[in-house]
Amino acid sequence: MRPAPTPGRYPVRFGTAELLQDADRPNAWLISVDGVAQSHVDLDDPTDLEFDYIRRIADIVDCLGEGPLDALHVGGAACTLPRYIAAARPRSRQLVFDADGELVALVREQLGLKGLKVRVGDGREGVSGRYDASADLVIVDAFERGVLAGGLATVEFTSEIARVLRPAGTYVANVSDGPNLPFLRRFLATLASSFPHLAILAEPGVLRGRRFGNIVVAASRAELPVEDLTRRAASSAYPARCVAGEDLRQLQGKARPIADAEALPSPVPPKDVFGIF
């Protein structure tokens, strides 16, 4: 039996991590870095998902048919989603890339990573080193101080993800944006360069451009389970909207894809949006 985690502050590569115990669940933990919430995990029940955008990603995973998945994760932190997939889809083969070696070591020591393969290093390089058509699912959720690195939102990297995915595979990304959704529009144009089918999930206020927040984007060369995702999003404890098809194309408009030469990062979030204090 592993010792109980020790709450406290710990130096990591991208700042200072803080490990906090959930006040309502004795074996659930929150990790933040420089005040930005990174992960919430319930060690007793990895299918209990606290963050709304994580639940949206899990909804996509749940709609991908049955059985184990071959999954790649770019960005791990406390590995909430890899833990979820391991519990919900036993025998799945997963590999996590995370650039913050000190944070990975902290999570391994305090929260455990039993059964999960986590490699410290650049996620883009990690994906580029995988074989063609070797993954069913690629999830990109890699933020530094609330910002998605620009190199993870380009046509070139999207092409690499498409190469690694099997023909019916799914790419899921967590991005963030604010009023008018300028970054999201360009990110959709970027994904459309490799994938004919796109869908997004977000709270209605975010999609209307009224506030800054997370948007989960799914892309595939196969049809996406839009009807199922729409039902799940609408019936959630925190209802979200699913946008696809012509509505999504209108949202994308005439936005230009993002290339490596530009490597546009996502916008810096306003203070307190992601737990910044």
Side-chain angles (χ1 to χ4, degrees), residues 244-275:
E246 184 57 31
D247 288 341
L248 187 142
R249 284 186 286 273
Q250 289 185 13
L251 174 63
Q252 176 186 325
K254 297 181 179 180
R256 295 180 293 108
I258 304 166
D260 273 349
E262 184 178 8
L264 179 73
S266 66
V268 176
K271 190 176 181 180
D272 298 326
V273 166
F274 296 139

Side-chain angles (χ1 to χ4, degrees), residues 226-239:
V226 172
E227 290 186 7
D228 287 344
L229 290 174
T230 299
R231 284 194 293 269
R232 284 173 175 262
S235 62
S236 171
Y238 298 97

Side-chain angles (χ1 to χ4, degrees), residues 27-219:
N27 210 16
W29 299 85
L30 172 71
I31 287 184
S32 64
V33 176
D34 286 351
V36 182
Q38 300 289 315
S39 292
H40 181 281
V41 295
D42 188 332
L43 299 181
D44 291 334
D45 181 7
T47 66
D48 182 15
L49 304 176
E50 179 75 9
F51 293 171
D52 183 55
Y53 85 88
I54 293 286
R55 180 66 260 175
R56 299 284 76 77
I57 296 176
D59 284 342
I60 296 170
V61 173
D62 291 346
C63 291
L64 297 181
E66 299 180 355
L69 296 169
D70 290 336
L72 295 177
H73 302 261
V74 177
C79 291
T80 306
L81 283 165
R83 295 174 198 265
Y84 176 84
I85 292 173
R89 292 175 178 261
R91 301 184 307 282
S92 289
R93 296 184 297 183
Q94 302 187 81
L95 178 58
V96 182
F97 298 103
D98 197 293
D100 193 329
E102 290 83 357
L103 182 59
V104 171
L106 171 64
V107 171
R108 193 183 302 278
E109 177 185 2
Q110 297 291 335
L111 305 178
L113 289 171
K114 184 178 179 181
L116 298 176
K117 293 176 64 176
V118 181
R119 292 184 184 173
V120 176
D122 180 84
R124 177 164 172 167
E125 292 179 3
V127 170
S128 296
R130 307 305 293 173
Y131 291 113
D132 293 0
S134 59
D136 301 305
L137 176 67
V138 175
I139 297 176
V140 173
D141 183 16
F143 282 69
E144 297 173 15
R145 299 179 177 90
V147 175
L148 177 72
L152 299 179
T154 68
V155 168
E156 291 84 353
F157 182 50
T158 300
S159 177
E160 279 297 285
I161 291 174
R163 177 188 63 79
V164 168
L165 282 170
R166 295 183 175 120
T170 303
Y171 171 29
V172 183
N174 172 41
V175 301
S176 59
D177 208 354
N180 235 7
L181 304 172
F183 179 81
L184 175 66
R185 295 172 195 274
R186 296 200 61 187
F187 188 64
L188 291 173
T190 301
L191 267 58
S193 67
S194 292
F195 297 102
H197 301 285
L198 305 176
I200 59 176
L201 294 161
E203 293 180 7
V206 174
L207 290 179
R208 294 191 189 105
R210 293 180 179 173
R211 68 180 192 83
F212 198 97
N214 292 105
I215 304 116
V216 172
V217 185

